[in-house]
Every structure is written in structure tokens, then in C-alpha cells.
Amino acid sequence: MSELCRERLATQLAEAVAEALRADLSRQEHALLVVSGGSTPVPFFEALAACDLPWTRVQVTLADERWVAEDAADSNARLVREHLLQGAAAAATFVPLTTGHQTPEQGAEAVAKRIDGLAWPASMVILGMGGDGHTASLFPDSQELALALATEASVVAVRTPSQPQPRITLSADRLHQARRHVLHITGGDKRAVLARALAGDDTRQLPIRAFLDCPLAVYWAP
Ligand code: 6PG
């Protein structure tokens, strides 16, 4: 049953994203979509790839990325290429968050330049959320959390004890620069984390709270 619910959720989210992109593209040449990685978005990516859109005018980037090679199994760029940039959607412009530099600290400036050149404000930012309340790579145990929550820079290199690889994340400020925000989550555990987040306001404890003070459409299924 939950499988079917999650498929329907993915389809409904894809329809909402396609509608938002079409609405913005009726007024501007390019529209930007910011997606998250992880396991939840896969059926959504596949549903969106099947939508009828002027894909050459669509820009896609990520909320965050592991600092790994683009063909690594845990690369979000690879996930997007394999599940979203397929068929007609392959014509979209995809902007990854990694460079050939050894570390995200070294690559951050080049990535920021790329990101700053996109069609902001984004049409939509689709966030995921982990069991620890992180979203994008805004982790509660990251040394750079305060910086990522406060900076006006578009990206921040992140080191997180709970995560095996260094990461790069769009800053909270940059993620806020969108016309629409969605939180895409599934399962009872994440429902409980969201309930906790809604019941308090310490963003450092549950970083998803950084997005609870603006309209946030929650797409949830069991
Ligand atoms: C990533 C993102 C992360 C993700 C959540 C949820 O993993 O690339 O950094 O913010 O959206 O961790 O991940 P799942 O969908 O795998 O639960």
C-alpha cells in the first residue's frame, strides 16, 4: 500500500512542479528547479521526466552534493542524470555542484559562480529531510551549520562527523530564493521528525526549521 501511495505522491509532485515551471516559463525565458538527492526523489524524478515541458528552457541544479566523482554510486548528480535527465528531459541544462578540485573548500568559489549565473529566483526548491532533521546538507552536527544558515554566499563546503564524505550545500539564504518550496518526505519516522520540528524553533537542533517560516508545501505519504 505505501508503495502505491509513494508513487501517487511522486506523480502529484511532478504535476505540481511541471505546472510551476510552465507558469514561470510563460513570463521568462529560463526557469530553475532545485532538487534534492537521497532515495526519496527517484520516483518523482521519473514522473517529472515524463512531463511535457520545453526542457531546453529548464535549468536543474541540486540543493546539495557529496564531494565525490560524478559517476560515484552516491553522487546526486548521477542520480539526477539517471532518473531525471532522460528522454525529452535530457535537453534540460543540468548544473552540478562538484568540480575537479580535491576538496569542496577548494571548489566552492567555482561552484558559487555557476550557481549565481542561474535563473534566480528558482521556480521551486524541493527539499528532502533526514531522520536528524537535516535538509540539503544543513546537518545539526556540522561545524559549518551556523555559517550555512547565516551567509549570503550561495554555497558552503561542509564537514559533518555523521557523514562519510565532505559535502557542498546551497546556503539557507540561497535556498530561500525560490518562488515555491516543497518538502518531499515519506514514512512514519519522518512524519514524527516533522512534528517535532513544527513544535519548536531551535534551527540548530533541527535545521529543517529554517524553512518553516515561509510557505512550505509538504508532500508526505506513508
Ligand atoms: C542527500 C540530501 C539529503 C536528503 C535527506 C533525505 O542525501 O543528498 O543531502 O538532504 O534529502 O537525507 O534522504 P532520503 O530521501 O534518502 O531519506
Side-chain angles (χ1 to χ4, degrees):
M1 182 59 192
S2 70
E3 196 65 23
L4 187 61
C5 284
R6 290 177 187 194
E7 284 294 332
R8 281 171 52 200
L9 181 76
T11 306
Q12 288 168 13
L13 176 55
E15 282 164 3
V17 171
E19 202 176 297
L21 290 170
R22 280 187 208 112
D24 291 350
L25 287 169
S26 72
R27 293 185 300 264
Q28 62 196 58
E29 186 52 30
H30 292 104
L32 172 62
L33 173 65
V34 181
V35 297
S36 291
S39 53
T40 309
V42 171
F44 155 66
F45 286 164
E46 292 176 353
L48 184 62
C51 289
D52 185 23
L53 280 164
W55 283 106
T56 52
R57 296 166 57 206
V58 175
Q59 302 171 340
V60 178
T61 193
L62 285 158
D64 69 317
E65 179 64 285
R66 294 161 185 80
W67 200 260
V68 295
E70 266 203 44
D71 58 356
D74 51 0
S75 156
N76 284 339
R78 177 175 166 165
L79 193 81
V80 166
R81 288 190 202 283
E82 287 183 353
H83 297 281
L84 176 55
L85 305 177
Q86 294 292 328
T93 300
F94 175 58
V95 176
L97 301 186
T98 52
T99 64
H101 295 89
Q102 200 129 35
T103 67
E105 288 79 8
Q106 291 166 342
E109 198 180 317
V111 176
K113 268 200 195 117
R114 274 185 216 158
I115 294 300
D116 293 347
L118 296 174
W120 300 97
S123 288
M124 200 179 274
V125 166
I126 298 164
L127 297 168
M129 183 182 72
D132 59 356
H134 83 263
T135 190
S137 283
L138 307 175
F139 285 91
D141 64 335
S142 149
Q143 283 171 30
E144 295 82 10
L145 177 63
L147 174 67
L149 289 171
T151 185
E152 286 178 12
S154 43
V155 302
V156 177
V158 171
R159 306 269 168 172
T160 303
S162 61
Q163 299 301 312
Q165 311 94 345
R167 293 180 172 225
I168 188 159
T169 189
L170 298 199
S171 63
D173 180 63
R174 183 50 77 170
L175 288 165
H176 278 126
Q177 291 179 37
R179 295 202 173 94
R180 309 164 189 86
H181 291 84
V182 164
L183 176 62
H184 181 198
I185 48 172
T186 56
D189 290 353
K190 290 193 182 177
R191 186 175 77 167
V193 176
L194 180 60
R196 268 175 52 217
L198 287 164
D201 46 30
D202 183 352
T203 302
R204 300 233 195 149
Q205 207 181 12
L206 295 171
I208 187 63
R209 286 178 174 147
F211 299 91
L212 297 180
D213 56 4
C214 59
L216 179 69
V218 178
Y219 277 71
W220 176 83

